[in-house]
Protein backbone atom coordinates (compact mmCIF):
# COMPACT_ATOMS: atom_id res chain seq x y z
CA UNK A 1 0.00 0.00 0.00
CA UNK A 2 1.08 3.60 -0.50
CA UNK A 3 -1.61 5.68 1.14
CA UNK A 4 0.95 7.85 2.96
CA UNK A 5 3.06 8.65 -0.10
CA UNK A 6 4.88 11.95 0.18
CA UNK A 7 3.95 12.50 3.84
CA UNK A 8 6.38 13.24 6.65
CA UNK A 9 5.64 12.00 10.17
CA UNK A 10 6.79 12.38 13.76
CA UNK A 11 6.25 9.48 16.17
CA UNK A 12 7.08 9.86 19.86
CA UNK A 13 8.14 6.82 21.85
CA UNK A 14 8.74 5.05 18.57
CA UNK A 15 11.57 2.65 19.33
CA UNK A 16 9.67 -0.37 20.66
CA UNK A 17 6.24 -1.93 21.09
CA UNK A 18 3.35 0.00 19.59
CA UNK A 19 5.59 2.90 18.59
CA UNK A 20 7.97 0.71 16.60
CA UNK A 21 5.02 -0.98 14.91
CA UNK A 22 3.67 2.44 13.91
CA UNK A 23 7.01 3.44 12.38
CA UNK A 24 7.15 0.15 10.46
CA UNK A 25 3.56 0.52 9.22
CA UNK A 26 4.16 4.10 8.11
CA UNK A 27 7.13 2.92 6.03
CA UNK A 28 5.06 0.08 4.59
CA UNK A 29 2.38 2.62 3.67
CA UNK A 30 4.81 4.85 1.82
CA UNK A 31 5.81 7.75 4.07
CA UNK A 32 8.57 9.90 2.65
CA UNK A 33 10.14 10.20 6.09
CA UNK A 34 9.49 9.57 9.78
CA UNK A 35 11.25 11.04 12.82
CA UNK A 36 11.38 8.97 16.02
CA UNK A 37 11.43 11.11 19.17
CA UNK A 38 12.70 8.84 21.91
CA UNK A 39 14.53 9.25 25.21
CA UNK A 40 16.23 5.86 24.66
CA UNK A 41 18.39 7.04 21.78
CA UNK A 42 20.27 3.76 21.36
CA UNK A 43 17.02 1.85 20.80
CA UNK A 44 15.76 4.38 18.28
CA UNK A 45 19.10 4.33 16.42
CA UNK A 46 19.01 0.54 16.28
CA UNK A 47 15.46 0.56 14.94
CA UNK A 48 16.29 3.22 12.37
CA UNK A 49 19.25 1.20 11.11
CA UNK A 50 17.11 -1.95 10.93
CA UNK A 51 14.25 -0.32 9.02
CA UNK A 52 16.20 2.11 6.84
CA UNK A 53 19.83 1.28 6.17
CA UNK A 54 20.20 4.36 3.93
CA UNK A 55 19.25 6.81 6.68
CA UNK A 56 17.07 8.71 4.23
CA UNK A 57 13.64 7.92 5.65
CA UNK A 58 13.99 7.21 9.38
CA UNK A 59 15.41 9.92 11.62
CA UNK A 60 16.12 8.95 15.24
CA UNK A 61 16.18 11.94 17.61
CA UNK A 62 17.19 11.85 21.26
CA UNK A 63 14.27 13.57 22.99
CA UNK A 64 12.56 13.41 26.37
CA UNK A 65 9.14 14.79 25.44
CA UNK A 66 8.51 15.92 29.03
CA UNK A 67 11.22 18.56 28.50
CA UNK A 68 9.99 21.40 26.30
CA UNK A 69 13.45 22.56 25.24
CA UNK A 70 14.27 19.09 23.91
CA UNK A 71 11.03 18.99 21.91
CA UNK A 72 11.85 22.39 20.38
CA UNK A 73 15.22 21.06 19.20
CA UNK A 74 13.69 17.80 17.98
CA UNK A 75 11.13 19.58 15.81
CA UNK A 76 13.87 21.85 14.42
CA UNK A 77 15.98 18.78 13.58
CA UNK A 78 13.00 17.17 11.86
CA UNK A 79 12.34 20.27 9.78
CA UNK A 80 16.02 20.54 8.86
CA UNK A 81 15.89 16.94 7.57
CA UNK A 82 12.43 16.71 5.99
CA UNK A 83 11.32 20.31 5.49
CA UNK A 84 7.83 19.82 6.91
CA UNK A 85 5.61 17.69 9.16
CA UNK A 86 2.29 16.25 7.96
CA UNK A 87 1.56 13.66 10.65
CA UNK A 88 2.10 13.71 14.42
CA UNK A 89 1.63 10.59 16.54
CA UNK A 90 1.90 11.08 20.30
CA UNK A 91 2.68 7.58 21.52
CA UNK A 92 5.26 8.17 24.27
CA UNK A 93 3.96 7.16 27.67
CA UNK A 94 5.00 5.67 31.00
CA UNK A 95 3.32 4.06 33.99
CA UNK A 96 4.10 4.40 37.69
CA UNK A 97 1.32 2.29 39.18
CA UNK A 98 0.17 2.30 42.80
CA UNK A 99 -3.06 2.65 44.73
CA UNK A 100 -3.85 6.35 44.91
CA UNK A 101 -3.64 6.58 48.70
CA UNK A 102 -0.09 5.19 48.46
CA UNK A 103 0.98 7.04 45.31
CA UNK A 104 3.90 9.42 45.73
CA UNK A 105 3.90 12.90 44.29
CA UNK A 106 6.96 11.87 42.28
CA UNK A 107 5.05 9.00 40.65
CA UNK A 108 2.10 11.29 39.91
CA UNK A 109 4.27 14.00 38.36
CA UNK A 110 6.41 11.60 36.32
CA UNK A 111 3.38 10.21 34.49
CA UNK A 112 1.74 13.62 34.05
CA UNK A 113 4.97 15.09 32.69
CA UNK A 114 5.59 12.42 30.04
CA UNK A 115 2.09 11.40 29.03
CA UNK A 116 0.24 14.73 29.17
CA UNK A 117 2.89 17.44 29.00
CA UNK A 118 4.76 15.42 26.38
CA UNK A 119 1.66 15.48 24.17
CA UNK A 120 1.20 19.18 24.85
CA UNK A 121 4.81 20.00 23.98
CA UNK A 122 4.82 18.29 20.60
CA UNK A 123 1.44 19.70 19.62
CA UNK A 124 2.53 23.19 20.69
CA UNK A 125 5.33 23.19 18.12
CA UNK A 126 3.80 21.05 15.36
CA UNK A 127 0.28 22.49 15.17
CA UNK A 128 1.53 25.91 13.93
CA UNK A 129 3.36 24.13 11.10
CA UNK A 130 0.17 22.33 10.14
CA UNK A 131 -1.93 25.48 10.37
CA UNK A 132 0.46 27.33 8.11
CA UNK A 133 0.31 24.63 5.43
CA UNK A 134 -3.42 24.01 5.99
CA UNK A 135 -2.93 20.29 6.39
CA UNK A 136 -2.29 17.96 9.30
CA UNK A 137 -3.09 14.61 10.85
CA UNK A 138 -2.71 14.24 14.62
CA UNK A 139 -3.17 10.84 16.27
CA UNK A 140 -2.83 10.69 20.05
CA UNK A 141 -2.50 7.37 21.83
CA UNK A 142 -4.83 7.14 24.80
CA UNK A 143 -5.91 3.87 26.47
CA UNK A 144 -9.03 2.06 27.59
CA UNK A 145 -7.61 2.82 31.04
CA UNK A 146 -8.89 6.34 30.40
CA UNK A 147 -12.30 5.02 31.43
CA UNK A 148 -11.01 3.94 34.84
CA UNK A 149 -8.60 1.41 36.33
CA UNK A 150 -7.48 0.42 39.81
CA UNK A 151 -3.95 1.43 40.77
CA UNK A 152 -3.48 3.81 37.86
CA UNK A 153 -4.98 7.13 38.95
CA UNK A 154 -2.06 9.06 37.43
CA UNK A 155 -2.13 7.12 34.14
CA UNK A 156 -5.94 7.27 33.92
CA UNK A 157 -5.84 11.03 34.47
CA UNK A 158 -3.43 11.53 31.58
CA UNK A 159 -5.18 9.21 29.15
CA UNK A 160 -8.58 10.74 29.86
CA UNK A 161 -7.16 14.24 29.47
CA UNK A 162 -5.61 13.28 26.13
CA UNK A 163 -9.05 12.34 24.77
CA UNK A 164 -10.51 15.70 25.82
CA UNK A 165 -7.45 17.58 24.57
CA UNK A 166 -7.79 15.87 21.21
CA UNK A 167 -11.38 17.02 20.80
CA UNK A 168 -10.25 20.62 21.34
CA UNK A 169 -7.47 20.22 18.77
CA UNK A 170 -9.99 18.84 16.29
CA UNK A 171 -12.39 21.74 16.77
CA UNK A 172 -9.67 24.35 16.44
CA UNK A 173 -7.81 22.62 13.63
CA UNK A 174 -10.77 21.75 11.45
CA UNK A 175 -10.94 25.07 9.58
CA UNK A 176 -7.25 24.59 8.68
CA UNK A 177 -7.79 21.03 7.37
CA UNK A 178 -6.20 19.47 10.46
CA UNK A 179 -7.80 16.33 11.89
CA UNK A 180 -7.13 15.11 15.43
CA UNK A 181 -8.12 11.68 16.70
CA UNK A 182 -7.28 9.22 19.47
CA UNK A 183 -6.56 5.52 19.58
CA UNK A 184 -7.40 3.77 22.87
CA UNK A 185 -5.67 0.37 22.94
CA UNK A 186 -6.70 -2.38 25.31
CA UNK A 187 -4.40 -5.25 26.33
CA UNK A 188 -1.64 -5.29 23.72
CA UNK A 189 1.14 -7.87 23.47
CA UNK A 190 4.15 -5.63 24.04
CA UNK A 191 7.36 -6.22 25.99
CA UNK A 192 6.04 -3.96 28.73
CA UNK A 193 2.81 -5.94 29.03
CA UNK A 194 4.67 -9.25 29.07
CA UNK A 195 6.07 -8.24 32.46
CA UNK A 196 2.58 -8.92 33.84
CA UNK A 197 2.34 -12.33 35.60
CA UNK A 198 1.05 -15.13 33.37
CA UNK A 199 -1.94 -15.81 35.59
CA UNK A 200 -3.11 -12.20 35.23
CA UNK A 201 -2.55 -12.29 31.47
CA UNK A 202 -4.75 -15.40 31.32
CA UNK A 203 -7.50 -13.55 33.22
CA UNK A 204 -7.21 -10.57 30.90
CA UNK A 205 -7.67 -12.81 27.87
CA UNK A 206 -10.89 -14.16 29.39
CA UNK A 207 -12.20 -10.59 29.66
CA UNK A 208 -11.68 -9.91 25.95
CA UNK A 209 -14.49 -11.05 23.61
CA UNK A 210 -11.90 -12.11 21.00
CA UNK A 211 -10.14 -14.13 23.74
CA UNK A 212 -6.64 -12.97 22.89
CA UNK A 213 -4.28 -10.04 23.29
CA UNK A 214 -3.98 -7.43 20.58
CA UNK A 215 -0.76 -7.12 18.63
CA UNK A 216 1.15 -3.84 18.19
CA UNK A 217 0.67 -4.14 14.43
CA UNK A 218 -3.10 -4.04 14.89
CA UNK A 219 -2.86 -0.72 16.70
CA UNK A 220 -0.44 0.54 14.06
CA UNK A 221 -2.93 -0.27 11.31
CA UNK A 222 -5.56 1.88 12.99
CA UNK A 223 -3.07 4.73 13.43
CA UNK A 224 -2.05 4.59 9.78
CA UNK A 225 -5.69 4.73 8.71
CA UNK A 226 -6.39 7.83 10.81
CA UNK A 227 -3.18 9.44 9.53
CA UNK A 228 -4.16 8.87 5.91
CA UNK A 229 -6.49 10.72 3.58
CA UNK A 230 -8.82 7.72 3.76
CA UNK A 231 -9.83 9.28 7.09
CA UNK A 232 -9.97 12.87 5.84
CA UNK A 233 -13.54 13.38 7.17
CA UNK A 234 -12.90 11.70 10.53
CA UNK A 235 -11.90 13.97 13.41
CA UNK A 236 -12.47 14.34 17.16
CA UNK A 237 -12.93 10.58 17.53
CA UNK A 238 -11.53 8.01 19.94
CA UNK A 239 -11.14 4.61 18.26
CA UNK A 240 -11.00 1.78 20.79
CA UNK A 241 -8.73 -1.08 19.71
CA UNK A 242 -9.38 -3.66 22.38
CA UNK A 243 -10.81 -6.83 20.90
CA UNK A 244 -14.31 -5.78 21.95
CA UNK A 245 -13.74 -4.89 25.61
CA UNK A 246 -14.18 -1.16 26.12
CA UNK A 247 -12.97 -0.88 29.71
CA UNK A 248 -10.35 -2.49 31.92
Amino acid sequence: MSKLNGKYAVVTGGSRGIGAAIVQRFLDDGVAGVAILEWDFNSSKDLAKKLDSTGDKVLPINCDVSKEEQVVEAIKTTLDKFGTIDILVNNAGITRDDMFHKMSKEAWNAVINVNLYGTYHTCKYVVPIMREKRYGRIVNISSVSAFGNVGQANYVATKGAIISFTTALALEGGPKNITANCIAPGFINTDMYQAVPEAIIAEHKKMIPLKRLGEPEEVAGAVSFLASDDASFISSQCLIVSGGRNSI
Side-chain angles (χ1 to χ4, degrees), residues 50-178:
K50 175 184 175 183
L51 298 181
D52 174 33
S53 59
T54 68
D56 294 333
K57 287 190 174 183
V58 181
L59 175 64
I61 301 175
N62 189 15
C63 179
D64 177 349
V65 294
S66 71
K67 301 184 185 304
E68 185 172 4
E69 65 278 9
Q70 291 191 24
V71 172
V72 171
E73 286 303 311
I75 298 306
K76 181 180 182 299
T77 299
T78 301
L79 293 175
D80 288 344
K81 173 73 171 181
F82 297 138
T84 192
I85 297 169
D86 301 290
I87 300 163
L88 171 63
V89 180
N90 284 298
N91 170 72
I94 64 171
T95 58
R96 296 290 186 272
D97 296 350
D98 207 346
M99 296 295 286
F100 181 67
H101 64 282
K102 299 179 181 178
M103 185 176 291
S104 68
K105 185 176 181 180
E106 289 73 22
W108 176 271
N109 285 339
V111 173
I112 297 293
N113 287 340
V114 174
N115 298 8
L116 186 54
Y117 273 104
T119 299
Y120 161 73
H121 289 149
T122 56
C123 287
K124 178 179 179 180
Y125 293 100
V126 172
V127 166
I129 298 166
M130 293 178 170
R131 290 181 66 86
E132 178 67 24
K133 67 188 295 182
R134 299 186 66 86
Y135 181 91
R137 300 286 180 263
I138 299 170
V139 183
N140 295 324
I141 305 301
S142 180
S143 169
V144 293
S145 290
F147 309 114
N149 195 22
V150 173
Q152 288 195 313
N154 48 4
Y155 187 75
V156 168
T158 62
K159 294 304 183 178
I162 284 171
I163 294 174
S164 298
F165 176 56
T166 302
T167 64
L169 290 177
L171 291 170
E172 294 183 8
K176 295 292 187 179
N177 194 31
I178 301 168

Side-chain angles (χ1 to χ4, degrees), residues 137 179 181 224-235:
R137 300 286 180 263
T179 67
N181 293 286
S224 184
F225 167 67
L226 290 176
S228 76
D229 288 339
D230 288 344
S232 58
F233 201 55
I234 300 173
S235 196

